[in-house]
Amino acid sequence: MGKMYGYVRVSSRDQCEERQLVAMREFGVSERYIYADKLSGKNFERPQYKCLVRRIRAGDVLVIKSIDRLGRNYTEIQEQWRYITGELGADIQVLDMPLLDTRAKKDSIDS
């Protein structure tokens, strides 16, 4: 397994990123592998994000608190997701994204 990186973003200088940092630490992301920007998510022209993406390699994991911390534009989020998982060969873990257990539905349908 590769390295685990964290990405934290708040939209403005007066917002606090502490909640996201705590979640990263609790998940096990080392402080030295957490990148943070205090900029709008309107595009991906963010210095720390760009630095992070340059460091990610195949087998690494990118951890974000929620999908909106990655960006605001759905199409651009999809492009970045494809780039990171497809071209770079890394995984993305979204901490606030509940997974659906399709087995529970299937079991109840089959009963």
Side-chain angles (χ1 to χ4, degrees):
M1 182 173 149
K3 293 179 182 163
M4 189 166 26
Y5 292 95
Y7 181 68
V8 171
R9 183 187 65 77
V10 292
S11 296
S12 63
R13 295 256 178 228
D14 60 339
Q15 290 180 323
C16 180
E17 68 273 7
E18 189 59 30
R19 181 179 62 89
Q20 294 176 64
L21 290 170
V22 167
M24 295 293 148
R25 289 184 210 113
E26 288 176 354
F27 193 74
V29 180
S30 171
E31 192 79 34
R32 69 184 192 157
Y33 294 121
I34 298 174
Y35 293 78
D37 281 309
K38 288 192 175 193
L39 290 167
S40 169
K42 69 180 178 180
N43 60 43
F44 286 88
E45 294 300 314
R46 296 176 240 140
Q48 289 298 302
Y49 180 78
K50 286 180 159 186
C51 184
L52 167 65
V53 171
R54 284 192 303 268
R55 285 180 169 68
I56 293 175
R57 302 288 180 257
D60 291 345
V61 177
L62 170 59
V63 180
I64 54 176
K65 174 86 169 115
S66 59
I67 198 75
D68 67 331
R69 297 303 83 203
L70 194 55
R72 289 191 340 218
N73 181 298
Y74 185 69
T75 302
E76 287 184 358
I77 291 171
Q78 286 181 312
E79 289 170 8
Q80 289 298 306
W81 194 286
R82 283 187 202 108
Y83 177 70
I84 291 167
T85 61
E87 291 184 40
L88 297 180
D91 289 321
I92 300 175
Q93 173 72 48
V94 182
L95 300 178
D96 286 349
M97 181 180 272
L99 298 176
L100 299 176
D101 185 354
T102 56
R103 291 176 300 157
K105 275 187 169 183
K106 183 180 183 308
D107 290 345
S108 65
I109 292 170
D110 290 343
S111 300

